[in-house]
């Protein structure tokens, strides 16, 4: 975890490789973090990094989104060459990696009909291989926040890869509706300040408690609650939509 930062201080949100990992609208996660910081009196700074540009070593939170297989391979190669995401995780910055991003920060993932094995960054002890059916649809999972409070995460998943956790990673959440990691009842993975997860939505727009968790890791302190009626309304609507699927 980084040293504690209070209101008024600058917090840098790094959006990683939008041109490769931007097809599911996960950029919205950056918008949500910027807004939630500004509403609390912080000075948020958005840094957008594309392949070929070095990742800054000054970021407090690094965001990776979903993408197609070919883009995913380009992204992992560029990130491995850069080394900045490893340095970020080593110094305790928060990393939120969604879908293809999640697979990238794992140990290996496979692509194509020949199941070619691609090395990941190894920030999470997870491996991804082609699943029996593509996981597509709304999902709901149960997450326990840092205070042990039960929270519900909604989003939509769209992935062909199924992810298995090794002993060095713990699941982020338990699946109630959807496939999640690999139909084993688990969703996502956590190790230290690195979080991998499957839902798009963007996930932080739909799940403000998760957004604040990522921020509190990034700034090294718990944040006071925020009451935003429009955020609550979106949440109520998405929870009711996904719960109808369970009936
Ligand atoms: N290409 C990966 C898969 O299908 C990730 C897809 C995504 O990011 N939505 O498993």
């Amino acid at each position: 975890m980084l040293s504690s930062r209070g209101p008024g201080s600058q917090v840098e949100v790094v959006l990683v490789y939008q041109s490769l990992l931007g097809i599911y609208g996960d950029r919205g996660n950056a918008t949500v973090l910027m807004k939630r910081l500004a509403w609390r009196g912080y000075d948020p700074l958005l840094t957008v990094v594309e392949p070929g540009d070095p990742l800054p070593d000054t970021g407090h939170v690094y965001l990776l989104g979903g993408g197609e297989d070919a883009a995913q391979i380009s992204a992992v190669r560029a990130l491995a060459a850069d080394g900045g995401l490893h340095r970020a995780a080593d110094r305790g910055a928060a990393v939120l990696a969604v879908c293809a991003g999640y697979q990238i920060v794992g140990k290996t993932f496979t692509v194509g009909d020949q199941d070619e094995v691609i090395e990941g960054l190894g920030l999470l002890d997870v491996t991804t291989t082609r699943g029996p059916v593509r996981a597509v649809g709304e999902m709901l999972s149960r997450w326990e926040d840092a205070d042990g409070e039960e929270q519900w995460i909604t989003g939509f998943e769209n992935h062909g890869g199924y992810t298995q956790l090794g002993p060095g990673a713990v699941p982020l959440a338990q699946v109630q509706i959807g496939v999640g990691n690999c139909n084993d009842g688990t969703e996502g993975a956590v190790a230290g300040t690195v979080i991998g997860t499957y839902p798009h939505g963007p996930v932080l727009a739909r799940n403000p408690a998760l957004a604040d968790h990522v921020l509190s890791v990034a700034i090294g302190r718990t944040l006071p609650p925020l009451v935003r009626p429009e955020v609550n309304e979106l949440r109520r609507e998405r929870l009711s939509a996904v719960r109808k699927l369970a009936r």
Side-chain angles (χ1 to χ4, degrees):
M1 198 177 270
L2 300 179
S3 57
S4 174
R5 299 178 79 72
S9 33
Q10 191 171 76
V11 178
E12 184 176 6
V13 176
V14 182
L15 187 58
V16 180
Y17 298 176
Q18 268 303 282
S19 59
L20 298 173
L21 303 174
I23 60 167
Y24 292 89
D26 298 315
R27 182 191 182 106
N29 290 328
T31 310
V32 169
L33 294 183
M34 300 290 288
K35 273 284 176 200
R36 296 186 79 79
L37 284 164
W39 283 335
R40 290 183 168 106
Y42 283 83
D43 174 20
L45 170 71
L46 178 64
T47 302
V48 182
V49 182
E50 286 300 338
D53 302 336
L55 259 67
D57 284 329
T58 44
H60 298 92
V61 51
Y62 294 73
L63 299 172
L64 287 78
E68 288 149 343
D69 288 358
Q72 190 171 331
I73 296 171
S74 304
V76 77
R77 291 199 173 134
L79 285 167
D82 182 279
L85 213 56
H86 287 99
R87 290 194 298 278
D90 286 348
R91 72 189 157 77
V95 177
L96 177 74
V98 175
C99 203
Y102 173 28
Q103 297 175 4
I104 283 172
V105 298
K107 284 170 127 174
T108 57
F109 59 89
T110 60
V111 289
D113 296 342
Q114 306 300 316
D115 295 320
E116 186 191 350
V117 179
I118 310 287
E119 286 287 313
L121 301 179
L123 299 179
L124 287 177
D125 181 14
V126 303
T127 55
T128 301
T129 50
R130 181 153 46 115
V133 284
R134 194 168 181 83
V136 184
E138 286 292 317
M139 62 185 305
L140 181 69
S141 62
R142 195 177 68 82
W143 167 60
E144 247 179 49
D145 69 17
D147 298 326
E149 296 274 324
E150 180 177 84
Q151 305 277 355
W152 295 95
I153 298 179
T154 79
F156 71 90
E157 60 185 334
N158 186 351
H159 53 104
Y162 280 37
T163 299
Q164 260 153 9
L165 273 58
V170 292
L172 172 69
Q174 306 299 319
V175 175
Q176 303 292 311
I177 297 169
V179 172
N181 281 329
C182 59
N183 245 339
D184 67 347
T186 69
E187 203 300 296
V190 184
T193 58
V194 180
I195 299 175
T197 188
Y198 270 112
H200 305 285
V203 67
L204 298 186
R206 289 197 189 190
N207 303 283
L210 186 62
D212 283 352
H213 173 72
V214 171
L215 284 179
S216 68
V217 170
I219 64 173
R221 59 163 68 189
T222 317
L223 288 159
L226 265 183
V227 181
R228 303 295 304 193
E230 70 280 19
V231 175
N232 293 346
E233 180 52 26
L234 171 68
R235 181 147 184 79
R236 193 196 58 71
E237 192 268 326
R238 293 323 307 167
L239 276 168
S240 114
V242 72
R243 285 189 170 130
K244 279 188 194 135
L245 299 173
R247 288 193 198 135

